[in-house]
Every structure is written in structure tokens, then in C-alpha cells.
Amino acid sequence: MIPILSFTWSICCLAFLGTISAYIDQAAFSSKDILNYDVCVIGGGAAGTYAAIRLRDLKKTVAVVETQGRLGGHTVTYIDPVSKATIDIGVIVVNNEDLTKNYFARFNVSLTAANFDTPGVTNEYVDFRTGEIVKGYAPPNGTAAYRAYAAQLAKYPFLDLSLGNIPQPVPEDLLLTFGDFINKYSLQDAIPQFYSYGQGFGNILNLPALYAFKYYNPNNFQTALTTTRNDNSELYRKAQAELGADALLNSNILAMDRSDPKLAKILVKTPSGPKLIKAKKILSTIPPLLSNLHGFDLDATERPLFKQYKYHTYYAGLLNNSGIPDTLQLQNVGKDTPYNLPVLPSAYYISPTKLPGLHFFQAGTPETEVLSSAQIQAEVVASIERMRAVGTLPSSDVTPDYAIFANHVPYSIYVPPSVIATGFYNKVFALQGRKNTYWSGAAFVTHDSSAIWKYTETLMKDLAA
């Protein structure tokens, strides 16, 4: 029995007032199941882990509530069981900035310049729908177009930190679809470069330009770093070891009561039973979708805002037994699509790795479609079978399988341009500190760990006060 008293009555009564909450009876818990902290961090991805470590450095007590059995969120690393070699299949690079370098140095994780050169590897441009090579296709030289894009981006310095400083009225170009923006400024030759860098945004031509500006930052492309051991998860393993029992893994928020202005109560389901966390402040870093916030006591200001969020999909993995030569990279291009963009759902590309026989892929779906892991895995295998059938790849009776697969859904949280225009982000960022609750994560910045850490750092003063 979960120790919540009068739970049904509380929901009915407080929902009438615009708040869904639960009366959590502290007397129903033994002393060992009541955990007192300065800050409760919800979510152990990039923002949550960084915040927890920084707050500890500021001599604050912190709990991290994480649904997975590890910290790191979208940071996923494959460790070969034989050679112990590592391959990052989630977050691959970080930005060359002091805050980032200091964070890794704190855990003695060395960084090096990211190198995406693939000597000896040939690109083949294939329409994954048919498995056939798209003869005569070659990506355009996008250097001039990308330089012109950077000049447009420079007009919006208020986007450097987060989505919280967008002026009203919102600049017209930010409300265009990225496709319309590209056409307006004749940036078509840069499209393959955009697509090669950023996956998980559905059809990028339909993406609101605001989000493209936040993600596609030319400076980051040129100075990206990665870990020397190609193991970005090392940072999170070391952070998890430092947090110890204060990292509540495989745990979920069941209920929350923020009615006391000085102390929040959070009921958490953990592997060792329900725990009551009493915290002076809360930092939520999970995607702010209502489906993720079902245990939160959202009120009439918060709920209507979070209800408007939508999301994209993103999947990644390593293929075994694909029959793809280790000297061949397959790029998915549409034979008859605008700018030869691939048709989703599908893998964007399939690329060799440093481990013979293992091939890395990233996959996505249209913004209107969400597929299960099994469905995406089946589609990737089917695309290889199509290539075998038409002779693009050697024929084989061996069915490809997966050394590792990561489902990063929900990904790239967004709202449509019509909602952005209403001052949506000004309203969302006005929630910071309200009811002693703060918010961070990719939905407030972009999918860029370094950018998330930089924004989260701005919250430290208030969280530690």
C-alpha cells in the first residue's frame, strides 16, 4: 500500500481549484524512508547530473531521481565484451568551452578534438526505400551557403544561452519553417550539411526555424571535443559513484505536494520501496511533457503550458552481421525528394566503426509518427535486405542483429510557430523559481550537452540560496 492518505479526495478537491496534488502523510513513513535534502533533482541526464554535482560542490545536499538504472540520459556508450573498446552512440561530441572542459577535468576525464575523418571509407548514396544507388547524386558544396547561414544566425544573439530571451513580437524569420527560411535566403546547398549533423528532428524542412538556429551552431561544428577514450559515459559513471545512495536509480515520482512554500514533499517509488523526499527546492530536468509529469502537482499556470509541447523521435544503434563492408558508408538520400532528403521512417545512414563488423546508424520518423524500438529495428533490417536484393550489398542469408540499440524518444521537444508567437517561452521561463521549482534540460535550451550545462549553471545561485 502506497502511504498516501485521502489520495482520491485530494485529487478531486484540488483539481477544482486548478491543481492536482496529493496529501502525503509523513506519519505513514518510517524514519529511514524519509529523506531530507536541500534540492531534489528530477532526471539524471545532462542537466540533472551536472546540477547535482555542482550543488554538492556548493555544499548542498542533493537527491537525483532517475527512471533508468544509470545516469547519463541520451549519453549511451557501447562496450565491446571482448576487446572492451568503446563506441558512443548517443551524445558523441561536446563544445570546446571552459565550463565543459572544467566539468570533465573535475572527474579526470580527458578530452580531445573530435575527428570525423574516415580514411579508406567510401560513401555510397542509396535510397533506402528501394535499396538502389542514386546514380549521379553528389552533395553540393555548401561552404558559401553555410557562411550565409552563420551571418543570419548572428542576428539573434539572444538565442546564445537558452530559449528564455526571445523578444516580443517574435522576429518573423524565427517563425518560418526551416524550409521556408532556407528558400528565403537561398541556403539550399547547406541542407546536406544540416542533415548530416542533426538527426532526430523529423523532416527538417518542417522544423520551426527557431529550433534549427538553436541546434545548428557553426562554431560548435568546428571546435567539437570528445573524450580521449571515446567513452562519454565515463563522466556519468564517475558522477554516479560520487553521488552514491543520493542517486535514486530505477525510481519514479508517484506524487508531489508543493503547497508548503518552504518545503516540498515528493513521493518516490524506488526498488527498495516508497521513499518520502522532503526538499527545500526542486529542479526538474526531464522532458516537460504531461506524460512525464503525471506525478507532479501541476497547477493552472503550469499545466496549460506543458500541454502544448510536442516531440520528435530519435534512435541509434550498432548493427552486427549486416554484410556491409567495413570500407563502405551508406548515406540515405531520396531519389525524387526535395534536396534528396531521405524519406522517414528510416536510418539516416549506416557507417562503419573502429570495430570490424559493427556498423553505427541513427534513425528517425516523421514528426507525426512514433514507432517502437522493434518497429525501427525491423525497418533498418528491411532496408539492408532491400539493398541485398538489388545488388547494392552482397547477397546473404544471415539476418542482421543488434549489438546495442538506444531509443531516445521523446526527443527534441517543441511547439509550433503559432504557439511560439504568443510569447510561449517567456511564459515558460517565468515559471523559474515559482513554487520553489526550477526547470532545465534540452527543452529549455537545445540538444547540446555543453549548452545545457551552461544554462543550468545560471540556476545554481538561486538553487543554492
Side-chain angles (χ1 to χ4, degrees):
M1 176 72 72
I2 296 172
I4 302 179
L5 304 184
S6 305
F7 183 72
T8 303
W9 177 88
S10 298
I11 288 179
C12 295
C13 176
L14 294 178
F16 178 77
L17 299 175
T19 301
I20 295 180
S21 186
Y23 169 65
I24 303 173
D25 183 12
Q26 179 175 329
F29 292 83
S30 65
S31 58
K32 68 179 180 63
D33 291 326
I34 300 175
L35 311 177
N36 294 281
Y37 291 96
D38 292 317
V39 181
C40 176
V41 175
I42 300 173
T49 302
Y50 178 85
I53 294 300
R54 285 289 291 119
L55 287 166
R56 282 173 65 102
D57 288 346
L58 294 170
K59 309 304 181 185
K60 297 298 174 180
T61 57
V62 188
V64 178
V65 180
E66 168 55 46
T67 59
Q68 298 189 73
R70 61 174 182 85
L71 299 181
H74 292 303
T75 300
V76 180
T77 304
Y78 172 74
I79 303 177
D80 183 69
V82 177
S83 67
K84 305 305 178 184
T86 53
I87 300 174
D88 289 315
I89 69 162
V91 175
I92 297 174
V93 297
V94 293
N95 301 337
N96 189 355
E97 299 171 344
D98 287 344
L99 184 146
T100 293
K101 291 185 285 189
N102 291 339
Y103 185 31
F104 278 84
R106 187 195 180 288
F107 289 103
N108 195 30
V109 178
S110 60
L111 294 168
T112 188
N115 184 356
F116 298 106
D117 292 340
T118 53
V121 174
T122 301
N123 279 319
E124 198 73 87
Y125 299 99
V126 179
D127 191 326
F128 283 24
R129 293 174 297 175
T130 64
E132 295 180 339
I133 295 171
V134 180
K135 295 180 180 179
Y137 173 80
N141 185 332
T143 302
Y146 209 71
R147 190 179 300 117
Y149 166 76
Q152 293 298 323
L153 180 62
K155 296 178 180 179
Y156 309 106
F158 54 82
L159 292 178
D160 285 350
L161 183 62
S162 72
L163 293 166
N165 298 305
I166 301 172
Q168 284 293 122
V170 179
E172 178 184 343
D173 281 354
L174 299 184
L175 300 175
L176 296 175
T177 65
F178 198 40
D180 287 343
F181 173 81
I182 284 170
N183 287 333
K184 181 176 179 178
Y185 294 100
S186 301
L187 305 176
Q188 292 87 347
D189 285 352
I191 288 178
Q193 192 166 355
F194 290 131
Y195 221 82
S196 67
Y197 180 75
Q199 290 78 37
F201 300 98
N203 183 337
I204 62 169
L205 300 181
N206 298 332
L207 184 70
L210 169 66
Y211 302 110
F213 285 176
K214 278 299 297 170
Y215 188 78
Y216 298 120
N217 187 325
N219 294 329
N220 296 342
F221 299 167
Q222 298 166 5
T223 62
L225 302 175
T226 191
T227 55
T228 303
R229 289 182 281 273
N230 297 120
D231 182 6
N232 286 323
S233 294
E234 182 182 1
L235 177 76
Y236 293 95
R237 291 195 300 270
K238 290 183 173 181
Q240 183 176 320
E242 181 167 320
L243 292 168
D246 293 328
L248 282 65
L249 305 179
N250 298 306
S251 299
N252 297 280
I253 304 297
L254 293 176
M256 184 181 293
D257 181 358
R258 295 178 292 164
S259 59
D260 185 337
K262 295 183 179 180
L263 195 69
K265 296 178 182 178
I266 306 105
L267 179 61
V268 181
K269 179 183 178 183
T270 77
S272 60
K275 306 292 181 184
L276 173 60
I277 294 177
K278 298 167 66 178
K280 298 173 185 176
K281 295 176 182 177
I282 295 171
L283 172 64
S284 179
T285 66
I286 61 178
L289 302 164
L290 288 186
S291 58
N292 277 351
L293 304 174
H294 55 79
F296 285 56
D297 57 338
L298 300 177
D299 64 20
T301 299
E302 298 163 328
R303 182 171 291 273
L305 289 172
F306 296 143
K307 185 179 181 179
Q308 298 179 77
Y309 276 120
K310 303 176 184 296
Y311 62 90
H312 295 105
T313 65
Y314 169 56
Y315 316 81
L318 293 175
L319 279 164
N320 260 325
N321 302 313
S322 66
I324 303 171
D326 290 332
T327 55
L328 180 64
Q329 178 169 267
L330 299 166
Q331 298 277 2
N332 188 0
V333 300
K335 179 180 180 180
D336 53 2
T337 60
Y339 314 113
N340 297 103
L341 290 175
V343 175
L344 304 176
S346 183
Y348 299 98
Y349 63 86
I350 303 175
S351 179
T353 68
K354 63 184 179 183
L355 294 178
L358 281 186
H359 287 75
F360 176 55
F361 71 91
Q362 294 173 308
T365 69
E367 53 271 17
T368 56
E369 187 175 3
V370 178
L371 297 182
S372 67
S373 295
Q375 289 173 310
I376 285 291
Q377 289 175 5
E379 170 53 35
V380 173
V381 170
S383 68
I384 293 174
E385 297 290 0
R386 290 190 288 269
M387 293 182 220
R388 290 174 173 177
V390 298
T392 299
L393 292 177
S395 179
S396 175
D397 294 329
V398 178
T399 301
D401 57 14
Y402 294 87
I404 187 173
F405 181 86
N407 184 329
H408 294 282
V409 181
Y411 191 81
S412 179
I413 310 301
Y414 72 101
V415 294
S418 59
V419 176
I420 297 171
T422 66
F424 174 82
Y425 282 105
N426 292 339
K427 298 171 189 175
V428 166
F429 278 78
L431 298 177
Q432 295 291 25
R434 190 172 173 274
K435 301 176 78 169
N436 287 323
T437 303
Y438 297 80
W439 309 83
S440 188
F444 299 84
V445 189
T446 188
H447 277 282
D448 177 332
S449 294
S450 294
I452 291 170
W453 297 331
K454 186 186 297 186
Y455 175 67
T456 304
E457 179 65 30
T458 69
L459 303 177
M460 290 300 104
K461 181 178 179 180
D462 287 337
L463 285 165

